[in-house]
Amino acid sequence: MTARLEFRLFGQISVQRGGQPMPGLSAKALELLCYLLLHRERGHTRETLAALLWPEAAESLAKKYLRQAIWQLHARLASRTRPAPAPAEPEALLIMRPGWIRVNPQAAWWLDVAAFERAYDICRDTPGVELADAQAQGLEAAVALYRGDLIEAWYQDWCSYERDRLQLTYLAMLEQLMGYC
């Protein structure tokens, strides 16, 4: 069994396997990983990713850079206890096809942003004064995950939008909890 990967994107980025930090990802490989995790619900074409991450580079060069970043991610995130699983197996974090790539929802991984969003989705339409104790506890746990703005110190356009969205969600959670209290 592969050790679970944990990704924390609130505040300083943290990538861990089995509770141990995983250093060694280049800045662009880490940016690609963060983008894929934040947009985990769908696949992304390689052309779109290359243009997003290397907008100033020629298309062929951007695709080359993307291939290198994908290779680095695959090599660093694959299990060290046995050969890397095939891309479609549940253990692989990334599902890669010739034209697209996505995060495997069946793999053993945890993301603070996903837990944060799930907690909010459960209580989104419930006024704070009507929250059940379990709902309030779920919101309190989610608020504790918010260790700082999303991927602080990154200023890419795609990141800024997500940062603002999640910050507004955080403030809405706090408002609900104040109503609960």
Side-chain angles (χ1 to χ4, degrees), residues 69-87:
I70 291 170
W71 178 86
Q72 185 186 32
L73 279 179
H74 185 69
R76 293 292 303 145
L77 298 177
S79 172
R80 299 288 184 224
T81 58
R82 62 186 201 157

Side-chain angles (χ1 to χ4, degrees), residues 37-59:
L37 288 169
L38 287 171
H39 300 92
R40 61 198 169 276
E41 68 285 345
R42 62 185 170 84
H44 305 274
T45 65
R46 292 174 184 250
E47 291 80 14
T48 301
L49 291 171
L52 178 77
L53 298 176
W54 293 275
E56 304 298 322
E59 184 179 351

Side-chain angles (χ1 to χ4, degrees), residues 19-168:
Q20 299 300 312
M22 289 185 56
L25 289 175
S26 70
K28 280 300 187 180
L30 192 56
E31 184 180 353
L32 172 62
L33 176 62
C34 290
Y35 184 84
L36 291 172
L37 288 169
L38 287 171
H39 300 92
R40 61 198 169 276
E41 68 285 345
R42 62 185 170 84
H44 305 274
T45 65
R46 292 174 184 250
E47 291 80 14
T48 301
L49 291 171
L52 178 77
L53 298 176
W54 293 275
E56 304 298 322
E59 184 179 351
S60 61
L61 192 56
K63 286 182 180 181
K64 175 186 173 190
Y65 293 154
L66 178 64
R67 284 191 303 274
Q68 291 171 341
I70 291 170
W71 178 86
Q72 185 186 32
L73 279 179
H74 185 69
R76 293 292 303 145
L77 298 177
S79 172
R80 299 288 184 224
T81 58
R82 62 186 201 157
E89 290 182 14
E91 292 86 12
L93 176 66
L94 300 178
I95 299 172
M96 294 179 278
R97 298 291 184 258
W100 58 270
I101 185 170
R102 75 165 294 174
V103 171
N104 183 354
Q106 303 303 314
W109 59 278
W110 178 86
L111 173 65
D112 60 351
V113 173
F116 179 85
E117 289 174 323
R118 271 192 308 274
Y120 183 64
D121 287 345
I122 291 169
C123 305
R124 175 190 322 252
D125 297 323
T126 307
V129 296
E130 296 177 16
L131 285 174
D133 290 341
Q135 289 176 309
Q137 289 171 355
L139 284 180
E140 288 173 354
V143 164
L145 293 173
Y146 196 92
R147 304 174 305 149
D149 286 339
L150 178 74
I151 314 172
E152 59 187 24
W154 280 17
Y155 301 102
Q156 291 81 346
D157 289 342
W158 69 264
C159 184
S160 296
Y161 170 79
E162 292 298 320
R163 180 180 297 129
D164 291 346
R165 180 182 68 80
L166 292 168
Q167 189 177 56
L168 290 173

